[in-house]
Amino acid sequence: MSVAASRSVSRNDIETDCAEDGGELRMVLVGRTGSGKSATGNTILGENKFVAMVSGSSVTVNCSRGETYHGNRLLLVADTPGLFDTNHLNFEVTREISKCVGMTSPGPHAVLLVIAIGRYTKEEQDTVQHFIQHFGHDVIRYMMIVFTREDSLKQEQKTIEEFLETAPSELKEIVRKCENRYICVDNLANESEKKRKVNELITKIDDMVEKNGGVCYTNEMYAAAEDVLARRMEQIRAEFEQDQKRERRKLHNNFEQDIHALTNERSKLEDRMARMHWEKDYSEKEKQTLQMEMVRIQQQKEISQGEMEEGENRQLSERIAALRRREVLLNQQLQQKERQRLLMLSDLEKANHGIKQKRKERGRGSSLGSYPIGHLDEKTVRQKARDDVENKSPNIFTELLESLKNVGITFLSKAIKFFSNLI
């Protein structure tokens, strides 16, 4: 599908998808360097996913995402680099922000504009205008202001409403444009207070999304990004299917090898049993021969009683005693062989059972597609595609940049042109 075609169909389709996606809440943090975006992201996630510290230059230099579950609901938070950083050029930062489009596709449910209490400067104003200008005026409908450093208000014993009464007119104007959607947080508060604020934030976002028709924010950039991610998701599914086929073939081969090994083991056991039966029969015959010999000698001794010399009589007695010892030894050997026979019968039964089970398993999966190896649902596929964007996997990230470039947005075109020269 071409980018042009995706623009014509994507908006309604994507919004419908978002409306059906009640299990995921996507948020993008934007704001000036030092406003507390990363700390706010950590508060929402309940863990230190993003690097946050007091600094005059942006600590976040790459767009990244964090995820957590709020109950059974997945929260996805994208942290963006701060604009107007003294150490990073704006077009470099803008390039990273463009990455968040792919990471939060098919679109964020909320754009959280993070502003530090007492720091609404000309640069803060330009940050707001930057996003409105390039992401489209509709982004205002999905924007919520997050005021940080609530602790400073507490020290002055002020409420956020009292602070806004004396705030610069420009700040009042952006609050008005956001229809008074704001929340004040203290990222240094205790865990229970942070959780309370996160619950309040999610409630306000849900109210905002409901007012917007239950859909996420989309524009041509997100439509183009969704087209790219859809192709990548198809590739992931195809790769997964190929991996599944390889695993199934491997499993099938393993079944054959196991059956072959068990069959060989059974053949060896049968050979050993045949040899043992021969040895047992031989011992039985030897025992019978001994018994016959003892009877013959005993009869000879009885017939010649009184006629034999003492030495000859003693030799016959010793011969009979030797034959009896040999008989005892043969009896012991026969008993031992019987025990071995019973053990081999048990081993042979196990081998036969193993072969039967393996053949039954192979029969259940006679078709390669019958072997259940793993599962890849839509959520997992999209997460893998997002990972590729976040990790800047060459193919998908280059394609994403090119697609966004074709959308024709000025700031992206310049950044992408610069980035393309680096590749």
Side-chain angles (χ1 to χ4, degrees):
M1 181 187 293
S2 66
V3 174
S6 71
R7 291 187 213 169
S8 64
V9 300
S10 291
R11 173 129 194 157
N12 290 335
D13 292 344
I14 291 173
E15 290 193 348
T16 300
D17 290 342
C18 291
E20 294 173 352
D21 186 14
E24 186 173 271
L25 183 62
R26 297 179 291 277
M27 294 165 269
V28 177
L29 296 166
V30 298
R32 182 182 175 275
T33 297
S35 60
K37 293 190 309 301
S38 298
T40 300
N42 290 336
T43 294
I44 295 172
L45 295 172
E47 60 176 311
N48 293 326
K49 165 67 178 179
F50 308 118
V51 178
M53 63 182 69
V54 178
S55 176
S57 61
S58 182
V59 175
T60 302
V61 294
N62 293 301
C63 191
S64 58
R65 82 174 193 268
E67 296 172 358
T68 190
Y69 277 92
H70 188 267
N72 61 351
R73 191 176 190 184
L74 179 66
L75 303 184
L76 185 152
V77 181
D79 189 20
T80 61
L83 296 179
F84 308 102
D85 194 312
T86 56
N87 292 333
H88 302 281
L89 298 175
N90 278 345
F91 63 78
E92 292 176 331
V93 175
T94 301
R95 184 188 69 203
E96 282 302 315
I97 291 176
S98 72
K99 189 173 72 173
C100 97
V101 172
M103 285 167 44
T104 57
S105 182
H109 297 92
V111 177
L112 303 181
L113 175 61
V114 182
I115 299 174
I117 294 291
R119 285 195 60 181
Y120 196 74
T121 63
K122 176 65 167 59
E123 292 174 341
E124 242 94 17
Q125 298 173 42
D126 292 341
T127 299
V128 176
Q129 292 305 314
H130 176 90
F131 282 96
I132 293 175
Q133 178 183 354
H134 299 296
F135 282 76
H137 193 270
D138 282 349
V139 76
I140 287 287
R141 294 194 297 119
Y142 296 85
M143 190 173 285
M144 179 178 295
I145 302 172
V146 178
F147 290 106
T148 58
R149 301 181 186 173
E150 185 183 27
D151 52 312
S152 63
L153 288 180
K154 292 176 181 178
Q155 290 175 358
E156 297 177 12
Q157 296 183 339
K158 280 186 178 181
T159 63
I160 184 62
E161 289 73 22
E162 289 172 338
F163 167 76
L164 289 174
E165 286 178 4
T166 59
S169 59
E170 294 82 3
L171 179 56
K172 290 181 179 179
E173 177 62 15
I174 189 61
V175 171
R176 185 192 67 77
K177 286 182 178 180
C178 290
E179 299 181 353
N180 289 315
R181 293 187 298 269
Y182 62 83
I183 188 172
C184 196
V185 300
D186 177 6
N187 291 317
L188 299 177
N190 58 46
E191 292 303 314
S192 61
E193 174 63 14
K194 287 181 180 179
K195 288 180 181 178
R196 187 183 70 81
K197 286 289 184 177
V198 171
N199 290 335
E200 182 182 345
L201 174 65
I202 291 173
T203 299
K204 289 188 175 184
I205 291 175
D206 286 339
D207 291 342
M208 176 180 66
V209 173
E210 184 179 357
K211 188 175 180 180
N212 288 328
V215 298
C216 63
Y217 169 72
T218 58
N219 65 2
E220 288 185 320
M221 286 193 302
Y222 277 99
E226 183 65 9
D227 187 43
V228 173
L229 260 69
R231 289 195 293 271
R232 177 56 186 148
M233 288 165 68
E234 283 302 317
Q235 291 175 1
I236 291 172
R237 292 188 192 97
E239 291 167 1
F240 180 76
E241 283 299 320
Q242 289 299 319
D243 289 342
Q244 292 286 77
K245 287 180 180 178
R246 282 193 290 270
E247 287 298 317
R248 289 181 185 119
R249 290 192 187 97
K250 181 179 178 182
L251 184 58
H252 181 79
N253 291 336
N254 287 342
F255 275 134
E256 293 300 324
Q257 290 173 4
D258 289 344
I259 291 173
H260 182 70
L262 287 168
T263 303
N264 283 343
E265 182 182 350
R266 182 179 65 181
S267 296
K268 290 178 182 178
L269 283 169
E270 289 172 345
D271 289 343
R272 285 174 57 195
M273 284 197 68
R275 180 176 178 78
M276 189 205 66
H277 278 301
W278 180 85
E279 291 176 349
K280 185 178 178 183
D281 289 343
Y282 182 83
S283 296
E284 289 282 0
K285 289 178 181 179
E286 185 180 358
K287 179 180 175 182
Q288 291 175 2
T289 302
L290 285 175
Q291 289 174 341
M292 290 173 62
E293 180 69 10
M294 281 191 292
V295 170
R296 186 186 66 79
I297 294 174
Q298 186 65 36
Q299 288 175 347
Q300 180 182 354
K301 184 178 178 182
E302 290 175 356
I303 292 172
S304 303
Q305 191 73 30
E307 299 178 0
M308 283 187 222
E309 295 180 358
E310 184 179 350
E312 187 179 357
N313 188 34
R314 186 170 60 252
Q315 288 179 355
L316 290 175
S317 297
E318 289 175 353
R319 177 64 176 160
I320 292 172
L323 291 172
R324 283 175 178 167
R325 288 196 296 272
R326 178 60 181 163
E327 182 184 25
V328 170
L329 182 60
L330 284 172
N331 283 331
Q332 291 174 348
Q333 290 176 349
L334 286 169
Q335 290 175 1
Q336 183 179 6
K337 290 184 185 301
E338 180 62 18
R339 287 194 294 269
Q340 289 176 350
R341 186 185 71 84
L342 293 175
L343 288 173
M344 277 191 280
L345 279 175
S346 176
D347 291 341
L348 189 60
E349 185 179 351
K350 289 178 182 177
N352 283 327
H353 179 72
I355 293 171
K356 184 178 179 181
Q357 287 297 109
K358 287 294 179 181
R359 284 177 174 165
K360 188 181 293 183
E361 290 175 22
R362 184 183 61 182
R364 287 198 296 265
S366 56
S367 168
L368 287 181
S370 301
Y371 293 115
I373 305 297
H375 178 62
L376 193 67
D377 56 27
E378 286 300 307
K379 183 181 290 185
T380 303
V381 174
R382 183 172 289 277
Q383 289 294 75
K384 287 180 177 291
R386 286 172 178 166
D387 289 342
D388 287 345
V389 174
E390 184 173 8
N391 297 328
K392 291 189 178 180
S393 298
N395 292 337
I396 185 173
F397 190 60
T398 302
E399 187 179 354
L400 176 63
L401 288 174
E402 287 300 321
S403 294
L404 296 183
K405 179 180 179 181
N406 293 334
V407 173
I409 297 179
T410 305
F411 88 105
L412 280 175
S413 297
K414 293 179 180 178
I416 295 167
K417 182 177 181 181
F418 173 82
F419 183 67
S420 298
N421 291 335
L422 297 180
I423 297 176

